Amino acid sequence: GPVVTKLTSVQAVYDFMHSRNQSRFGLSTIMAVGFFSQHDDIEEDDYEDFLEVAKDLQSNEDIYFGVVTNKAVVKHFKANKTIDRTPSLVIFGEDEQYHSINMDELYGERSSMKDWLLKQAVPLVGKMTPLNFALYEKLNMPMLMMFLDLSEEMHSGAPGRIVGGRSGGILNEVLLDEMRAAAKEHVDRILFVYLDGTLYEDQMRSL
């Protein structure tokens, strides 16, 4: 699809944000929307930066981008306190809450728009695959890995939401719930992931 989806109404923004709850998306999917009230004037540089980051991250399977340039739509999201000014960036992800940041806060030695988005795209406990390995690698943080028997992963009736099957006779979701509890305490210091222990049996043994 397009690098960025243009959202021209308030309802279109809500529909885009909440589309992540569709079964075709995984738990780690985030929807990112850039808000600009003067994208062709004083906010042009920020707007171009946003499009460039979206293009750069287009291959990431967990991040989808939308953009708002309609002033009436921007005004609505200012009025309900989703944003306080433009240009700003809003994400809707795993915790199903809106998180916003003003783009002028993303420039400096310690942060960037891309770095902030990559960090937000990492779920509390995510499944590591060849497609997202590079994302985790870029974060350069210690990692705790749980290898599971995922042969029954998709037999739960809720693909992408609940991990079916058992490992060592224990439900995978029970094991992952324990891991999520630990992850909440160490989210800023350690990355928590689970992998297919059958598919990556050799790597599991070597680790």
Side-chain angles (χ1 to χ4, degrees):
V3 175
V4 175
T5 301
K6 293 184 178 180
L7 307 169
T8 57
S9 70
V10 170
Q11 190 59 49
V13 175
Y14 286 123
D15 288 345
F16 178 79
M17 292 284 200
H18 292 274
S19 68
R20 74 165 296 280
N21 292 324
Q22 297 173 9
S23 61
R24 64 193 179 98
F25 293 124
L27 188 63
S28 58
T29 298
I30 69 167
M31 317 305 281
V33 178
F35 287 83
F36 303 88
S37 53
Q38 300 182 66
H39 75 289
D40 55 355
D41 193 3
I42 61 173
E43 296 175 356
E44 184 176 5
D45 288 344
D46 295 294
Y47 181 69
E48 293 297 327
D49 286 346
F50 175 76
L51 295 181
E52 189 64 32
V53 168
K55 183 178 181 180
D56 194 27
L57 295 178
Q58 187 181 21
S59 62
N60 188 302
E61 62 175 357
D62 288 328
I63 308 178
Y64 294 81
F65 290 88
V67 66
V68 174
T69 58
N70 183 299
K71 292 182 180 180
V73 178
V74 169
K75 185 178 180 180
H76 170 87
F77 287 94
K78 282 183 180 178
N80 70 9
K81 308 296 184 182
T82 301
I83 60 174
D84 62 359
R85 65 178 187 268
T86 60
S88 62
L89 187 59
V90 176
I91 65 158
F92 185 75
E94 183 179 13
D95 61 0
E96 299 194 355
Q97 301 291 322
Y98 298 106
H99 298 278
S100 65
I101 191 166
N102 299 316
M103 289 187 184
D104 59 11
E105 299 174 41
L106 292 171
Y107 300 104
E109 296 180 3
R110 301 184 61 188
S111 185
S112 70
M113 192 186 308
K114 182 177 178 180
D115 290 342
W116 188 77
L117 279 165
L118 287 174
K119 179 61 178 165
Q120 302 303 317
V122 173
L124 193 62
V125 175
K127 181 181 179 182
M128 178 174 279
T129 69
L131 290 175
N132 64 17
F133 176 78
L135 168 62
Y136 282 99
E137 192 176 37
K138 287 176 184 176
L139 294 172
N140 195 30
M141 291 171 65
M143 187 181 300
L144 183 64
M145 301 168 142
M146 180 185 285
F147 289 88
L148 299 174
D149 179 352
L150 298 179
S151 57
E152 300 292 323
E153 178 184 14
M154 305 305 287
H155 292 187
S156 62
R161 301 285 159 180
I162 297 174
V163 179
R166 296 172 181 264
S167 298
I170 304 172
L171 289 171
N172 284 335
E173 266 302 308
V174 172
L175 292 166
L176 288 171
D177 276 344
E178 295 236 2
M179 200 178 198
R180 291 178 188 117
K184 288 177 181 177
E185 297 184 27
H186 304 282
V187 65
D188 294 323
R189 300 190 297 118
I190 305 172
L191 298 172
F192 291 78
V193 301
Y194 69 95
L195 301 88
D196 189 327
T198 303
L199 185 63
Y200 300 112
E201 185 175 5
D202 291 339
Q203 290 90 332
M204 179 174 65
R205 286 175 176 162
S206 65
L207 284 169

